[in-house]
Amino acid sequence: MVKMPVLRWGQPYESLDLNDVVHFVTGETLAKVGQANPGLLAKDMRRAHRARDVLREIPCRDLVQMMKKAADL
């Protein structure tokens, strides 16, 4: 089974809130996906300016290539 954690600042975070992703025909659980609660998001938003600064250092062309790769995966 695939386990997809929440990513916080590029690092996996083991959330206590997990949702199952089930196959629509068989009902088999295919994955467990971590969820971020509003408190976690509010805490992380205090550092959002830093994330924006880091992203601005990466050329746009590279960001687009990263998104294309993510879409393929």
Side-chain angles (χ1 to χ4, degrees):
M1 175 184 329
V2 177
K3 191 171 182 186
M4 298 176 66
V6 172
L7 290 179
R8 293 183 71 202
W9 307 110
Q11 301 298 317
Y13 173 78
E14 292 297 323
S15 174
L16 296 177
D17 299 321
L18 297 172
N19 283 345
D20 292 341
V21 177
V22 297
H23 191 279
F24 66 97
V25 173
T26 67
E28 174 190 6
T29 300
L30 302 174
K32 291 195 177 279
V33 180
Q35 301 293 302
N37 64 44
L40 188 64
L41 292 173
K43 184 177 178 182
D44 286 353
M45 286 305 296
R46 291 185 211 129
R47 293 176 47 197
H49 65 282
R50 166 105 170 87
R52 183 175 182 190
D53 292 342
V54 170
L55 281 174
R56 287 183 138 181
E57 293 175 9
I58 302 171
C60 232
R61 183 177 308 253
D62 293 349
L63 290 173
V64 170
Q65 290 303 316
M66 289 178 201
M67 288 186 279
K68 285 181 180 179
K69 182 177 179 181
D72 290 340
L73 293 174

